[in-house]
Amino acid sequence: MTNELIDFTLVSVAMLAIGIYGLAVKRNFIRMLFAVEIIINAANLNLVAFGRFLPHSGGQTLALFSIAIAAAEVAVGLSLIIVAYRMYQNVDIADFRSLKG
């Protein structure tokens, strides 16, 4: 039973590392959005795994709320990508210097 929990946690840590690497290295806005989604999915995997092994933890419920928030985050992120592409004809993060307030 605990071996399964360790397996879920290791997969989640690997997903978190991939997501952080994607945020740190990639400069394309779409790739960064995918990296954030991988990080959110790593958190969801942990919530569901611990919810399975801990009684009355509500991990699945929290994961469902997290998925709903992630869907809203994708909608906002894609709208920002569309606006940035219309302004700059590019989605490279380095070109967005004029957006500073």
Side-chain angles (χ1 to χ4, degrees), residues 4 25-26 30-32 43 47 51 53 64 73 75 79-80:
E4 291 179 26
V25 174
K26 303 300 180 190
I30 296 173
R31 289 184 181 176
M32 291 177 78
L47 286 171
F53 292 105
L64 285 175
E73 178 257 336
S79 65
L80 288 173

Side-chain angles (χ1 to χ4, degrees), residues 12-13 19 40 44 47 53 79 85 87 89 91 97 101:
S12 178
V13 166
I40 291 172
N44 286 339
L47 286 171
F53 292 105
S79 65
Y85 185 77
M87 288 177 64
Q89 302 299 316
V91 289
R97 300 265 185 232

Side-chain angles (χ1 to χ4, degrees), residues 52-82:
R52 179 178 174 193
F53 292 105
L54 297 175
H56 308 295
S57 67
Q60 285 84 3
T61 306
L62 289 174
L64 285 175
F65 282 122
S66 177
I67 290 169
I69 291 171
E73 178 257 336
V74 166
V76 170
L78 288 176
S79 65
L80 288 173
I81 289 171
I82 291 170

Side-chain angles (χ1 to χ4, degrees), residues 9-27:
T9 306
L10 289 176
V11 170
S12 178
V13 166
M15 290 173 62
L16 180 69
I18 291 169
I20 290 174
Y21 172 78
L23 280 178
V25 174
K26 303 300 180 190
R27 291 293 157 216

